[in-house]
Amino acid sequence: IVHLLQPGEHVLAADDLYGGTYRLFETVYAKLGIAFSYAAPANPSEFVSQLRAETRLIWLETPSNPLLRLCDVAEITRLAKRARPEILVVVDNTFATPYLQQPLQLGADLVHHSTTKYLGGHSDVVGGAVISRDKQIAGRLRFLQNSIGGIPGPFDCYLVLRGIKTLAVRMDRHCASAQQVADHLKRMKGVAAVYYPGLAESDQADLASRQMRKPGGMVSFVLGAGAEAAVRFVEATKLFSLAESLGSVESLIELPAAMTHASTAGTPLAVEPALIRLSVGLESVNDLIADLDQAMAASA
């Protein structure tokens, strides 16, 4: 998507985003003359006030990785287009999937998915997809895809199509289990904070109910005992496998600061070292909760 830009143009991105995206922006595209800045999107008017004369693109993740913050796609798009009609609004919709959230219907120009995650759903494919509602942009993306060579193989496409056939039923289960896990973590002694859009006390619960079908299958939380206890925790789980990916049938656990978001260390986007991220899979939710309980005991 960033290949749509020219040197000297600017991207305004939400300040909580996937570490690999930040790494790509700052170590690859910045060297090509594209500027990047990051701002909190919680207040749409304040976020849009960070636009520059050379801003060409807004990059959003909602829910974000790893703090599961939401961006009000409709309001940010409305304000941005009112200020600068030519600006493109891009939403990374990987955590939500098209089943839970449809950014194009909310006004976004482009939507990005990592098909490796929920769309594939079985940890057996690597890929991505970009969708646009603008024929001219879609044509440019097809040209870039052909020129750069970002083409998936036929079997990879088959695996993603297979995953999409069960997407709705899988997402319903992911969401139901994640809600129970988040509620349990809120009651668990030793947990300092829980991040999940479906929590009733979340300040984004209303936005989640308006923008998403359900709150998703990802949960993040912070251990009050600190980073060393967090390491012990993720090493102690038995059903939650320690791995960087997400969105598959199996449950995964990771330390973003040391794994997916290590590239943000020492920057304003750095992640809390005691933050743990869960991808809640399709196993028995009671077994998953029991696994978290025994990991907490082990971490102490």
Side-chain angles (χ1 to χ4, degrees):
I1 295 173
V2 181
H3 282 281
L4 295 170
L5 278 60
Q6 301 295 321
E9 294 185 321
H10 169 253
V11 175
L12 173 62
D15 65 349
D16 181 37
L17 77 169
Y18 173 49
T21 301
Y22 175 80
R23 182 174 63 246
L24 187 65
F25 285 173
E26 295 296 334
T27 65
V28 178
Y29 290 119
K31 293 182 179 180
L32 300 179
I34 298 171
F36 297 88
S37 64
Y38 308 89
N43 185 312
S45 60
E46 291 183 6
F47 179 76
V48 172
S49 72
Q50 302 299 308
L51 294 175
R52 304 176 185 175
E54 63 273 22
T55 304
R56 168 67 170 148
L57 188 147
I58 291 174
W59 188 281
L60 305 174
E61 283 186 15
T62 182
S64 66
N65 184 2
L67 295 179
L68 303 171
R69 295 173 179 162
L70 303 186
C71 302
D72 189 332
V73 177
E75 184 64 5
I76 289 175
T77 300
R78 183 186 72 82
L79 294 173
K81 296 287 188 180
R82 185 173 69 181
R84 303 273 298 285
E86 73 279 8
I87 284 179
L88 299 177
V89 177
V90 180
V91 176
D92 185 333
N93 201 40
T94 296
F95 275 20
T97 79
Y99 178 68
L100 299 183
Q101 181 172 266
Q102 298 178 339
L104 295 184
Q105 299 299 320
L106 298 171
D109 297 291
L110 297 111
V111 176
H112 166 260
H113 296 277
S114 172
T115 58
T116 306
K117 311 304 193 301
Y118 286 109
L119 292 179
H122 294 78
S123 297
D124 54 10
V125 65
V126 175
V130 180
I131 302 97
S132 175
R133 57 194 177 95
D134 185 291
K135 291 184 178 180
Q136 184 175 357
I137 294 174
R140 177 62 177 166
L141 289 172
R142 280 193 292 271
F143 172 81
L144 290 169
Q145 183 186 46
N146 181 64
S147 301
I148 297 170
I151 310 296
F155 190 66
D156 294 325
C157 295
Y158 160 76
L159 291 173
V160 175
L161 288 171
R162 177 201 62 178
I164 290 174
K165 291 178 181 179
T166 61
L167 179 65
V169 67
R170 285 188 289 108
M171 293 310 299
D172 284 341
R173 176 63 174 265
H174 285 305
C175 294
S177 295
Q179 182 72 62
Q180 292 186 60
V181 166
D183 289 338
H184 183 78
L185 287 168
K186 285 291 295 184
R187 300 188 297 268
M188 187 182 290
K189 185 177 181 180
V191 173
V194 180
Y195 303 101
Y196 183 66
L199 292 173
E201 62 271 29
S202 170
D203 59 357
Q204 295 192 305
D206 178 64
L207 176 58
S209 66
R210 289 188 283 112
Q211 187 167 275
M212 302 178 68
R213 185 192 300 265
K214 295 179 180 180
M218 302 296 297
V219 181
S220 292
F221 63 100
V222 177
L223 281 193
E228 292 184 4
V231 171
R232 292 194 296 271
F233 190 105
V234 301
E235 290 178 344
T237 55
K238 302 182 186 304
L239 285 182
F240 284 91
S241 298
L242 182 60
E244 287 194 346
S245 193
L246 61 100
S248 186
V249 293
E250 71 270 12
S251 293
L252 303 178
I253 190 169
E254 69 130 359
L255 280 173
M259 298 169 70
T260 52
H261 291 68
S263 60
T264 66
T267 76
L269 276 66
V271 177
E272 159 66 47
L275 180 76
I276 296 172
R277 192 192 72 183
L278 304 176
S279 176
V280 180
L282 304 185
E283 304 92 341
S284 162
V285 68
N286 292 330
D287 290 344
L288 293 176
I289 288 173
D291 192 27
L292 296 174
D293 286 341
Q294 69 82 24
M296 179 64 82
S299 72

